[in-house]
Every structure is written in structure tokens, then in C-alpha cells.
């Protein structure tokens, strides 16, 4: 008990009484650190760049569990959607032209990257956004999301039967009307990306398309 107190950790009976999530032992919260590195002012991520159009209303990104503001983003509108779709269209032919096996390899590499050094950051950001305990976001939530990326990636590498002559139709814009969990997002986007569709960007709480 003395050792826990020295570390600033609540006594075990208090933890069970309050069900308070414990601190991340031995290091700072990587999600908070990532937000700090971006000045807690994010933009719309389009074609590898954070776009911050001037004169926009700022939307507060609140921690689900406490309501505190952890970052701000500019409100998205149709011009942001158009920029994201244009960037996606510019990349669509090359992405589709990779062919299923190479697209599957790229998506598998993406899943491995998210599961590696960035796992702690991803889990912490998911906990802030969704209000679920870190042990859940680092476990079931992130693992399920990565599985929903790896499964269509494997299908693309093997080649779905009966779709040998299938051609991608083009860009898909996924518009989000509110918070969306990582598994729910990748459940939609994993098959689209694996089959050769391409969407790109993140336009905040009111309007969004994602890569």
C-alpha cells in the first residue's frame, strides 16, 4: 500500500469503490502527448497535410468521460469535402492500379504500423474520444479494428472469387455525422480500400471523409 501511495496510485479498496481508471505506469499518456505536439489545434487531414481554413467556427473535441476540451478543429463545409475528393481522385488511379496483392500488402503494413509503436497513442486517443477504459481500447477495440483491416487485405491478396474482371468505380466519400469508433470505421473502409476504392481526409465532427 505504501508503494502504491508513493507512486500516486489510489489504494486498491478505493479503486474498487470508484472504478477509477489507473494511471499509465512509467510514462506519460501518449495520446495527450500527441495532441500537445499538434498544439491541440487540428485541421482537416487531406493529401498528407493538415488544412486549417481561416475564418471557420472552431469545434471543441471533448473527452467523452469528463467533458473537458482536449483539442479544437475547424468546422467542415462543402469546400473541404471537395478538396478531399479531388485529392482522392488524383490518387485513385495509382491505388487501383497496384492490383489486389499489392493493395493487400500495403493495408497489412498499415495494420502492423498501427499495432507497433503507435499502438499506445491510438489506444489513448480512442479512450479520450469514446470514454472507454484504456484497457478496452488497447485490447478489444484496437484489435477488432485491425482485424477488420487485415481480413479484407488478405482477401485482396488472394483475389476474391468471381471478381476477376471487377474494376474500381472511383472515389468513395464517407460522411460522418458524429463520433465513430475505430472498428465501425474500418468495417466500412477496409473492404473499400482493399478492392481499390480510395477516400481521403478527416473533416471534423460535422463533415468527414477518411482515408
Amino acid at each position: 500500500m505504501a508503494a502504491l501511495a508513493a507512486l500516486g496510485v489510489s489504494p486498491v479498496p478505493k479503486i474498487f469503490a470508484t472504478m477509477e481508471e489507473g494511471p499509465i505506469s512509467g510514462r506519460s499518456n501518449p495520446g495527450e502527448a500527441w495532441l500537445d505536439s499538434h498544439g491541440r489545434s487540428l485541421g482537416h487531414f487531406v493529401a498528407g497535410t493538415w488544412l486549417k481554413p481561416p475564418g471557420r467556427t472552431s469545434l471543441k473535441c471533448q473527452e467523452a468521460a469528463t467533458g473537458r476540451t482536449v483539442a479544437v478543429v475547424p468546422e467542415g463545409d462543402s469546400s473541404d469535402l471537395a478538396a478531399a475528393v479531388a485529392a482522392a481522385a488524383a490518387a485513385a488511379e495509382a491505388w487501383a492500379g497496384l492490383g489486389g496483392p499489392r493493395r493487400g500488402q500495403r493495408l497489412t503494413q498499415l495494420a502492423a504500423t498501427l499495432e507497433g509503436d503507435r499502438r499506445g497513442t491510438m489506444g489513448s486517443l480512442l479512450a479520450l474520444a469514446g470514454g472507454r477504459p484504456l484497457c478496452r481500447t488497447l485490447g478489444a477495440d484496437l484489435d477488432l479494428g485491425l482485424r477488420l483491416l487485415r481480413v479484407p487485405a488478405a482477401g485482396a491478396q488472394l483475389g476474391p472469387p468471381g471478381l476477376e474482371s471487377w474494376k474500381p468505380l472511383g472515389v468513395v466519400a464517407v460522411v460522418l455525422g458524429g463520433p465513430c469508433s475505430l472498428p465501425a470505421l474500418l468495417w466500412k473502409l477496409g473492404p473499400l480500400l482493399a478492392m481499390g476504392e480510395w477516400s481521403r481526409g478527416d473533416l471534423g465532427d460535422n463533415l468527414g471523409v477518411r482515408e
Side-chain angles (χ1 to χ4, degrees), residues 42-44 50-58 73-77 79-80:
L42 307 178
H44 310 320
W50 292 98
L51 303 183
K52 299 180 180 181
R56 298 290 184 82
T57 300
S58 292
V73 296
E75 185 175 20
D77 64 18
S79 66
D80 302 312

Side-chain angles (χ1 to χ4, degrees), residues 102-173:
R102 291 178 66 189
R103 285 197 304 272
Q105 291 172 4
R106 299 286 179 86
L107 294 177
T108 299
Q109 291 171 357
L110 173 61
T113 298
L114 295 177
E115 192 174 38
D117 295 339
R118 292 173 175 82
R119 184 180 182 87
T121 301
M122 286 288 296
S124 299
L125 291 173
L126 291 173
L128 288 172
R132 285 166 62 79
L134 183 61
C135 62
R136 296 292 185 186
T137 59
L138 281 174
D141 291 359
L142 189 53
D143 287 341
L144 176 57
L146 295 179
R147 190 175 302 119
L148 290 170
L149 190 60
R150 287 190 171 106
V151 169
Q157 288 179 283
L158 294 174
L163 296 178
E164 291 80 4
S165 61
W166 186 88
K167 299 292 185 183
L169 294 177
V171 173
V172 174

